[in-house]
Amino acid sequence: MARYEDLPYRTCVGVMLINRDGLVFIGRRAGGIEHVDDTHVWQMPQGGVDPGEDTWEAAKRELYEETSVRSLERLGEVPDWLTYDIPRTVAGRAWKGRYRGQRQKWYAVRFTGKDSEINVANPGGGGHKAEFVTWRWEPMKNLPGLIIPFKRPVYERVVQEFATLSDD
């Protein structure tokens, strides 16, 4: 097995889905070996980029595969790739031990549909295990406090980048 320091980052995208009231979609994770407690199990939609896939297309695909949402308007993009390392204690079990963390391209989108479009129990795309067991709209400023601690710096940066898109 490769040394932790030598492992690459998994290329991913993340989506901040903002409703008309300026609140952000956040889903309660269905599970994961990295969970440390019951408070820090919430996150925004995110997922891997397929080889050769454009990151914006990947973001729309991942959002659909995790929430069934297709009604959206692109609002912004974090210009940099943001990275986080997973704890060494779980690195050998997460992603089959192939990655030390993720490098993510983040997008902000306005949700233009109705809440009834959101379906985390049976999300779109078929054949994917549900990522979330429930969801809610949350003030943007609260997001860093709900995410698993090792992802918090990424969420703080995403909130900073997109703060003007919310009223809170």
Side-chain angles (χ1 to χ4, degrees):
M1 185 167 143
R3 291 181 338 132
Y4 177 83
E5 297 80 11
D6 296 333
L7 292 172
Y9 289 98
R10 180 175 177 248
T11 301
C12 295
V13 291
V15 180
M16 179 181 276
L17 181 68
I18 306 169
N19 72 10
R20 290 175 184 90
D21 297 324
L23 299 173
V24 178
F25 172 97
I26 193 156
R28 183 180 174 91
R29 296 275 319 268
I33 58 172
E34 73 278 5
H35 285 173
V36 293
D37 58 43
D38 285 336
T39 302
H40 303 101
V41 293
W42 297 87
Q43 75 176 35
M44 292 180 278
Q46 65 176 61
V49 177
D50 293 336
E53 187 178 25
D54 174 78
T55 57
W56 170 238
E57 294 303 316
K60 292 187 295 184
R61 176 184 51 75
E62 284 292 334
L63 181 63
Y64 180 67
E65 289 175 356
E66 295 184 6
T67 67
S68 296
V69 167
R70 288 204 189 264
S71 302
L72 56 89
E73 169 192 354
R74 183 174 170 171
L75 299 175
E77 171 183 344
V78 175
D80 304 315
W81 285 90
L82 307 181
T83 61
Y84 69 82
D85 292 346
I86 57 174
R88 290 173 185 264
T89 55
V90 297
R93 295 174 291 171
W95 307 301
K96 300 177 184 173
R98 295 181 305 199
Y99 303 102
R100 71 182 283 174
Q102 296 194 68
R103 67 188 283 264
Q104 299 176 317
K105 178 58 76 171
W106 277 89
Y107 293 93
V109 299
R110 175 79 59 211
F111 179 51
T112 59
K114 296 184 185 323
D115 283 6
S116 59
E117 179 178 344
I118 299 172
N119 184 345
V120 298
N122 297 294
H128 296 279
K129 187 178 127 195
E131 182 77 23
F132 303 120
V133 293
T134 191
W135 68 276
R136 68 181 189 232
W137 295 112
E138 186 71 31
M140 188 184 298
K141 66 181 184 227
N142 295 351
L143 300 181
L146 297 171
I147 190 67
I148 194 160
F150 64 85
K151 294 181 183 180
R152 190 167 296 137
V154 168
Y155 270 51
E156 289 170 345
R157 173 73 187 278
V158 171
V159 166
Q160 176 187 0
E161 291 284 338
F162 298 144
T164 60
L165 302 175
S166 175
D167 295 335
D168 63 31

